[in-house]
Amino acid sequence: MLLTELLHPGILESLAGSGHGARVLLADGHYPASTAIGERSRTVHLNLAPGLLDVTTVLDVLLRVLPVESAQAMVGPAGEPEPPALAEYRSLLGAVPLTTLGRFAFYDAARSPDLALAIVTADLRTYANLLLTIGVRGHVEGT
């Protein structure tokens, strides 16, 4: 039995095989996951029903088990208001640098060969997509 809150076998397996610099995509329910992800990444579908699981919830769990070095969020066209999900991401990420990318630049970034895992949620918010870059594990005293 695991002591971590994260219990999904596919997600755990993908994260365990990922290293520093690998990326994790947290996709909303609108994301074109069949065409806009890296060829070598694993896709995990957590979209059981519309709105049942959102990106913020997945991010909250991942941040407790994964060192995150940086993040990139999708935003709409210039002149549109910032997506509401961004405030939640900033709050959860704290000091982790968060940059924004337009839709097509975000798709290009998610198609990177460094994408190790794509988690598709049922988030109904527009532009609620987030790319995480895995950092390094901190030094543990006594090791």
Side-chain angles (χ1 to χ4, degrees):
M1 181 51 76
L2 299 174
L3 296 176
T4 176
E5 292 179 63
L6 179 58
L7 299 176
H8 191 285
I11 294 174
L12 286 169
E13 180 182 11
S14 291
L15 294 177
S18 301
H20 180 223
R23 291 179 167 189
V24 176
L25 168 65
L26 305 181
D28 64 27
H30 311 286
Y31 195 85
S34 64
T35 60
I37 62 170
E39 291 178 8
R40 297 185 299 201
S41 69
R42 176 182 190 148
T43 301
V44 172
H45 294 274
L46 298 180
N47 50 349
L48 180 63
L52 187 58
L53 188 60
D54 64 17
V55 171
T56 303
T57 302
V58 175
L59 175 63
D60 187 44
V61 172
L62 288 181
L63 288 174
R64 289 194 282 272
V65 298
L66 180 69
V68 176
E69 178 175 286
S70 64
Q72 295 174 306
M74 182 188 282
V75 294
E80 280 193 14
E82 183 175 275
L86 271 177
E88 293 177 12
Y89 302 159
R90 283 191 183 102
S91 176
L92 286 173
L93 289 165
V96 173
L98 174 65
T99 58
T100 58
L101 296 172
R103 189 173 108 193
F104 296 107
F106 189 93
Y107 291 159
D108 288 342
R111 287 186 183 106
S112 162
D114 292 334
L115 187 72
L117 174 63
I119 301 173
V120 180
T121 72
D123 202 326
L124 297 175
R125 298 174 295 180
T126 305
Y127 303 114
N129 303 295
L130 188 65
L131 265 174
L132 305 175
T133 301
I134 298 174
V136 294
R137 185 178 180 137
H139 175 72
V140 178
E141 291 297 321
T143 59

